[in-house]
Every structure is written in structure tokens, then in C-alpha cells.
Amino acid sequence: MRHNNKVKHLGRKKAHLDAMLANMTISLIKHKRIFTTLAKAKALRVYAEPIINRAKDDTTNSRRVVFRYLQSKEAVKELFGEIAAKIADRPGGYTRILKTGNRLGDNAQMCFIELVDYNENMLKTAKKKTARTRRSRGKAAAETAAPAAEPAKAEPAAAEAEEKAAE
């Protein structure tokens, strides 16, 4: 049984594990997204989220604590500058893990781990939450059908205007 064993050792000694997680956290802060194995990403999330959370409070002590873990002035500056501004109102969950499949060589599960507020593609496609009732479905269907019909009417008029301009 694994009572009170929360650390994923990943087959490494403590010094090697700490150095690897610190380097991965620095890369995550600098590049906003890194490609790694699923096991390392899950261990990184546990390591990096408290460090990122520390950046909300921009004090000298917070900077010293984060620098003690990361040992990179550039990463600390980036974390307390740009990243802290984006995560200021987020209560937690600063990273996202997206599985990408298995690696060809050893069939290890691979994934992306990224900072949540920096994936523009997912931010654009986020849907607005609406109430799900029978009435709202009928209104929503009518509203979505009407705007779709209007551009279709505008396109032939635009084509006629271009033809006249060409003559």
C-alpha cells in the first residue's frame, strides 16, 4: 500500500528529480507549453502549481522562495511579470495536460503540458454557458437560424455589385 507516499519518484534519486522538475518548470514558464511524458507532466503539475501560485503575491519574500526552487532570474522575472498578471484572478488550475498518444520507441504515453491562459486556440473556441431549458432551445435555434440566412442574401448582392463594377 502507498500510505502517505505522494511523490512520484520517476526512477530517479531526489537530487536528480528536483533538478529535472526545476528545469521543466523553467521551460514551462519560458515557452508556455512543453512536450513530455504523461508521468513527468503529472509530477511537474504538482511541483509547478504552488510555485506559480506564489507569483500572485509580488513581494521580495515570494521572489526569494521561487528563486530558491528555480535558480533562474529570467524565469522568475517572467513569472512575476507577464504570467502573474494573467493568473491574478484564477483560483488555481494553472496548467493543462493534453494527451497526444504514445511514443514510437518505447510506447510511453506522451502529452503537452501548458499554461492555461496561453492557449489562444482553446480560448477562442470556449463556448458560453447557456441555460438548458426547452424554451431557451427554441429561442436559440431561431436566433442562430436567422443570422445564418442574412449573410446568404448579402452574398448575391455583393456579386452583382462586383459585376457592375467590372463592366
Side-chain angles (χ1 to χ4, degrees):
M1 291 191 193
R2 297 190 65 235
H3 292 300
N4 205 21
N5 297 332
K6 296 178 183 175
V7 177
K8 295 186 186 310
H9 297 287
L10 303 174
R12 290 163 172 82
K13 302 280 185 181
K14 180 165 177 22
H16 185 189
L17 183 68
D18 288 343
M20 183 192 69
L21 292 174
N23 288 333
M24 290 176 72
T25 305
I26 291 167
S27 296
L28 181 65
I29 290 168
K30 286 183 179 178
H31 302 292
K32 312 302 187 261
R33 170 189 264 200
I34 57 174
F35 186 68
T36 184
T37 62
L38 186 62
K40 285 181 186 177
K42 287 181 177 180
L44 177 63
R45 180 175 51 190
V46 172
Y47 184 85
E49 294 233 356
I51 292 173
I52 295 171
N53 191 33
R54 185 66 83 153
K56 287 183 176 181
D57 183 28
D58 190 7
T59 61
T60 304
N61 183 54
S62 295
R63 285 179 177 263
R64 286 178 177 166
V65 169
V66 170
F67 183 77
R68 189 179 78 208
Y69 286 104
L70 299 182
Q71 296 292 315
S72 171
K73 288 183 182 180
E74 295 83 19
V76 171
K77 189 183 293 184
E78 177 86 13
L79 180 63
F80 279 89
E82 182 184 344
I83 295 173
K86 283 204 172 193
I87 64 162
D89 57 341
R90 182 175 288 277
Y94 309 112
T95 58
R96 175 186 299 126
I97 295 176
L98 300 169
K99 295 177 185 175
T100 58
N102 293 344
R103 188 163 50 196
L104 288 176
D106 59 354
N107 207 31
Q109 289 182 317
M110 299 300 288
C111 66
F112 283 110
I113 182 168
E114 65 184 4
L115 296 176
V116 172
D117 295 323
Y118 285 91
N119 190 343
E120 290 81 18
N121 296 332
M122 290 192 92
L123 292 175
K124 288 179 187 175
T125 60
K127 294 181 181 178
K128 293 182 182 177
K129 291 188 178 181
T130 58
R132 291 186 171 228
T133 62
R134 289 187 176 186
R135 285 188 176 176
S136 67
R137 272 191 261 153
K139 290 180 183 178
E143 290 173 3
T144 55
E150 291 174 17
K153 293 177 184 176
E155 290 175 12
E160 290 175 343
E162 290 176 9
E163 290 175 12
K164 290 180 181 178
E167 292 175 6

